[in-house]
Amino acid sequence: MKAALRGIVTRSQKIHQALTIVDAGGGAKRQPRHSRTMQRFRRPKPCPTSKRLPSNRTNAGPAPEGRLLKNSGTPPWRALKSLRCALTAVPPTTKSAMFETSSSEKFRSNSTIQLSICFHCGHVHHYLPADQDLPVAPGRTIGQKTAIMLGTLYTKGLPLNRAQEILLNEQDDQLGHSTLNDNVHDWAMQTGKVLSDAISDQLKTQSAVIMDETTFSVLQTQGRGNCGQAEDQQFRKKDYLAVQTSGYGEDRRCVSFKYIGGRRKEDIEKALEGFDNEALVSDAYAAYDSYVRTKDSQVHQCCCVHLRRMLLDSISIPALNKALLETKGESDDLIAGAIDKVKEGFLKNEPAYFICSIIAAMQKVYGLEKWLKRRSDEDKTEWLERVRKCRSATSTELMDHVDTMMKHLAKDFVVEGDSQRFKSKIAQSTIGAALAYYMNHRDNFRVFLSNPLVEPDSSSAERCIRSVAVLRKACDFKQSIEYMDSLCVYFTLVETAKMHGFNAAMTMEWLQDFGRAYYLHRANATLTHEVNNRGRRLDNKLMGFTPESAEGFDVEPWLPWNYLALRGREG
């Protein structure tokens, strides 16, 4: 019995040495080792809501505030678990506890946490330095800054395993093979997805949505890899990502990446579920036409760049140039001879010369579109009026000439089928395929002429796909659907930031500020609930969030256009 008591006393003395009680009303009983850290914090103020609520607590008078600070040798949660709270005196409206957890290992977060509870309303608040990094989730050792950095590098084409090889060396503590992957994934699905979903919701209400898709393999859906088959899963040979963007005339431009699985009609409709746009801009894939037919108030603008590409593939430009310039003589004679051959080609209805004229007319349309880009100092109403006038006066006339020549060529190369769709008369004819492509979607190539907010092509979505193509060169698959979804979250955030002029450093700062605000909101809500309903003590370590803690978080200020405006006001 004496030995047991002696051991308890010894442990209590060690705990007492690990903790320093600081009297805020007067001098310290013992000089703290971490006085610099303590100076970084101000005394917490009462909760703002307490002024509107009555107080049922009786207090004999103001008392000095006590704070807990761990000595660097003992983890605070172990010491505090064995010892009752050392706060012998608290101020009349708040109770505070502060403990510090630190780690010198690379990638790991250093946390210095101060908590305060308001005795009037029961709300718990965190007080942290402005530059304090927070963990990806409660109980994790990897900080949000690390997870965000690796996630954004992933969108630049650097796989996570390669990033770990570069950033870690033999002297560093070796992490588990999946530690970084799991934390990068968890930040995306638990924190970043909130912001990503808000961006997608904003895109659903805009005038037009531009959509394209690209391949990216998922081993789980192909019956390969380390992950088992998901419920109700169909095996596929190819997997697709959908990219949806805003037009260049929108003030709040957005980009949204989604894993859609296949390219069937059901997959396209699921990717566009909830969208209420006036126009859809995409290629002429049949699934898009089927989707638009189910929408009474939506029109489909087919991509003119796809049409121009098919026309260029249907003729041989080098062979045509060689035929035109084979006449010998002076330069003037060469030009005159080429003009005569072009005239002769038109008279003989040779398709190559008509197709060249069509491409030239479309080139002029795109020259006008480049000039119609909105200027930085231009009001949106004035810009829309300028676009409307130019398109109705000039672009419409050019597209009428294109339509006339395409119909002229279609008489010899395409035939109307049983389903009232045109097809090439000659199998495997590139000219016939291009003409049938146009004739089946004649009206869909002219939607942009009547709506200034609709673009003539899906080039903005294809530009966003470039980053996926770069990553596909280095890492052409993901193991599971879940990890593919987290990759889409990072692509959505990074590409949306690009559209608003964010550089890499500003993107990192934006995502870190958002992650910090969302983490603290959930942590405060969780601790408030547990302290008031379950009798939790402030000095117990937070190991998780309650499901209800995400409610009430306002994501609107963190959307990139609002964040950019706030930074402008601040300086």
Side-chain angles (χ1 to χ4, degrees):
M1 179 64 72
K2 292 182 179 179
L5 292 175
R6 190 179 301 109
I8 294 174
V9 172
T10 303
R11 287 196 298 273
S12 300
Q13 291 175 349
K14 291 181 178 180
I15 293 171
H16 180 71
Q17 293 174 0
L19 299 172
T20 302
I21 303 174
V22 181
D23 185 357
K29 295 182 179 180
R30 188 181 297 110
Q31 183 65 28
R33 297 185 180 182
H34 299 278
S35 58
R36 293 184 179 178
T37 304
M38 303 256 335
Q39 292 174 2
R40 296 164 64 188
F41 296 94
R42 294 178 300 176
R43 180 171 177 168
K45 299 179 181 180
C47 177
T49 59
S50 64
K51 299 179 181 180
R52 300 190 296 269
L53 297 175
S55 174
N56 297 324
R57 179 177 179 270
T58 59
N59 197 337
E65 176 188 359
R67 293 176 178 174
L68 297 182
L69 185 69
K70 92 174 187 62
N71 196 316
S72 59
T74 306
W77 54 89
R78 293 181 181 175
L80 296 174
K81 186 176 180 181
S82 305
L83 185 68
R84 294 186 60 187
C85 180
L87 295 174
T88 57
V90 295
T93 57
T94 60
K95 177 181 179 181
S96 301
M98 182 174 71
F99 54 89
E100 181 180 4
T101 62
S102 62
S103 174
S104 60
E105 301 173 6
K106 189 176 290 188
F107 298 135
R108 303 185 186 274
S109 62
N110 300 323
S111 300
T112 305
I113 302 174
Q114 183 184 15
L115 305 176
S116 293
I117 181 171
C118 176
F119 286 118
H120 289 292
C121 64
H123 283 81
V124 178
H125 302 276
H126 282 72
Y127 293 89
L128 300 174
D131 58 347
Q132 177 67 62
D133 191 16
L134 291 170
V136 170
R140 300 290 182 90
T141 57
I142 302 299
Q144 291 194 26
K145 183 178 181 179
T146 300
I148 294 170
M149 177 188 67
L150 295 176
T152 53
L153 288 176
Y154 208 177
T155 64
K156 308 296 183 183
L158 184 65
L160 295 180
N161 59 335
R162 179 59 180 155
Q164 184 170 343
E165 292 175 1
I166 295 174
L167 298 176
L168 283 177
N169 51 49
E170 296 179 357
Q171 287 74 27
D172 293 319
D173 294 336
Q174 295 299 315
L175 299 174
H177 70 283
S178 63
T179 300
L180 290 180
N181 287 278
D182 292 343
N183 281 275
V184 171
H185 166 75
D186 290 342
W187 188 90
M189 301 308 294
Q190 297 175 14
T191 304
K193 194 173 187 302
V194 177
L195 189 55
S196 174
D197 290 345
I199 292 173
S200 298
D201 292 340
Q202 184 71 33
L203 186 60
K204 293 178 180 180
T205 60
Q206 295 183 351
S207 298
V209 58
I210 305 169
M211 183 170 173
D212 202 357
E213 64 281 333
T214 186
T215 58
F216 206 104
S217 297
V218 179
L219 300 186
Q220 183 182 21
T221 63
Q222 300 176 8
R224 303 184 293 160
N226 302 324
C227 301
Q229 182 180 0
E231 296 182 2
D232 301 330
Q233 175 187 320
Q234 296 180 355
F235 288 108
R236 305 185 184 92
K237 293 183 179 180
K238 286 186 177 181
D239 296 274
Y240 287 88
L241 291 180
V243 183
Q244 299 163 333
T245 69
S246 307
Y248 55 70
E250 297 288 347
D251 294 326
R252 300 179 175 183
R253 300 190 67 185
C254 307
V255 182
S256 177
F257 284 75
K258 294 179 181 178
Y259 170 72
I260 60 175
R263 205 168 176 241
R264 303 171 302 169
K265 173 186 174 182
E266 296 80 6
D267 300 322
I268 298 297
E269 290 180 350
K270 185 177 180 180
L272 290 168
E273 185 178 359
F275 281 75
D276 190 21
N277 311 98
E278 297 178 11
L280 169 66
V281 184
S282 69
D283 55 26
Y285 183 54
Y288 292 112
D289 288 332
S290 301
Y291 167 78
V292 173
R293 279 195 291 267
T294 63
K295 300 288 185 177
D296 297 332
S297 60
Q298 193 174 67
V299 292
H300 184 200
Q301 165 68 40
C302 289
C303 179
C304 292
V305 169
H306 282 74
L307 174 63
R308 183 173 176 269
R309 191 178 302 148
M310 293 185 70
L311 291 172
L312 286 171
D313 292 341
S314 66
I315 59 175
S316 176
I317 300 296
L320 186 61
N321 289 336
K322 183 177 180 181
L324 291 174
L325 301 177
E326 64 183 2
T327 303
K328 296 182 180 180
E330 299 294 335
S331 59
D332 294 339
D333 297 335
L334 291 176
I335 296 174
I339 293 174
D340 292 337
K341 288 186 178 182
V342 170
K343 291 180 181 180
E344 184 179 354
F346 277 111
L347 293 175
K348 293 181 179 180
N349 286 330
E350 292 186 9
Y353 298 103
F354 283 94
I355 291 176
C356 288
S357 299
I358 292 170
I359 293 173
M362 297 183 68
Q363 190 69 23
K364 290 184 179 180
V365 172
Y366 274 96
L368 291 172
E369 290 297 318
K370 184 177 181 180
W371 176 74
L372 289 174
K373 294 287 186 181
R374 184 179 175 184
R375 298 186 291 266
S376 59
D377 58 343
E378 189 174 20
D379 182 70
K380 186 174 182 179
T381 305
E382 297 176 355
W383 171 76
L384 291 175
E385 186 62 26
R386 182 166 63 91
V387 173
R388 186 180 291 106
K389 287 182 179 180
C390 182
R391 285 182 176 178
S392 61
T394 308
S395 299
T396 301
E397 184 178 357
L398 289 170
M399 292 302 294
D400 289 341
H401 291 315
V402 170
D403 185 66
T404 301
M405 288 185 282
M406 294 291 276
K407 288 190 295 183
H408 176 75
L409 291 175
K411 296 177 182 179
D412 300 326
F413 287 91
V414 300
V415 62
E416 189 173 357
D418 298 335
S419 59
Q420 297 182 348
R421 291 183 65 85
F422 292 90
K423 61 180 181 180
S424 176
K425 287 182 179 181
I426 304 174
Q428 298 181 351
S429 170
T430 55
I431 295 178
L435 293 172
Y437 184 81
Y438 176 81
M439 294 301 294
N440 288 325
H441 305 89
R442 279 180 58 202
D443 296 334
N444 299 120
F445 287 107
R446 301 170 60 90
V447 172
F448 76 99
L449 298 174
S450 58
N451 190 336
L453 286 173
V454 176
E455 296 187 23
D457 54 56
S458 58
S459 296
S460 59
E462 292 188 9
R463 284 191 291 269
C464 296
I465 288 177
R466 290 179 184 174
S467 56
V468 180
V470 171
L471 177 61
R472 200 162 47 210
K473 293 291 184 180
C475 177
D476 62 346
F477 68 89
K478 295 294 287 184
Q479 285 286 346
S480 67
I481 298 174
E482 188 178 2
Y483 274 70
M484 177 59 76
D485 290 336
S486 65
L487 177 62
C488 290
V489 170
Y490 283 108
F491 271 118
T492 297
L493 299 176
V494 172
E495 292 298 324
T496 301
K498 281 184 184 179
M499 283 213 169
H500 291 272
F502 287 28
N503 55 25
M506 191 171 177
T507 301
M508 281 283 297
E509 182 180 352
W510 169 49
L511 296 180
Q512 288 178 43
D513 290 346
F514 166 75
R516 175 190 177 90
Y518 187 68
Y519 182 97
L520 292 179
H521 173 85
R522 297 199 68 181
N524 292 339
T526 298
L527 291 174
T528 299
H529 173 76
E530 293 188 353
V531 167
N532 290 280
N533 298 316
R534 299 182 181 179
R536 176 194 177 97
R537 291 170 52 183
L538 288 181
D539 47 28
N540 289 344
K541 187 179 180 182
L542 180 65
M543 297 302 296
F545 296 135
T546 58
E548 301 81 9
S549 61
E551 297 177 359
F553 180 78
D554 185 13
V555 72
E556 191 70 21
W558 299 103
L559 294 172
W561 46 88
N562 294 331
Y563 181 80
L564 198 61
L566 179 62
R567 282 175 56 97
R569 289 195 298 268
E570 290 180 351

